[in-house]
Amino acid sequence: RDDAMAKYHHYEVASAAFQIGIVLASATVITGILALSWLAIGLAMTGIGFMGIALFAPHAVHLF
């Protein structure tokens, strides 16, 4: 139960990072500001990182 809840929270953070990244990527298309695309890429990498944490070590973030 505790593992499932920890994974759930990390997946939620990863999902939020991906969704904000998608919004920033679409804002890049509309405005043409290239810095927004770099932020979107950074958020995508953050989302991938949290997905990896959720898969392999769901309690690791709470240890720090």
Side-chain angles (χ1 to χ4, degrees):
R1 173 186 58 121
D2 292 335
D3 287 339
M5 187 59 78
K7 287 181 181 185
Y8 168 75
H9 288 297
H10 293 305
Y11 286 135
E12 286 292 319
V13 172
S15 174
F18 284 131
Q19 289 177 6
I20 295 170
I22 289 169
V23 170
L24 287 175
S26 63
T28 302
V29 172
I30 293 169
T31 62
I33 299 173
L34 195 58
L36 294 177
S37 65
W38 288 106
L39 286 172
I41 291 169
L43 282 172
M45 294 299 165
T46 302
I48 290 171
F50 269 98
M51 284 181 55
I53 290 170
L55 280 173
F56 300 115
H59 295 288
V61 175
H62 301 290
L63 295 176
F64 297 108

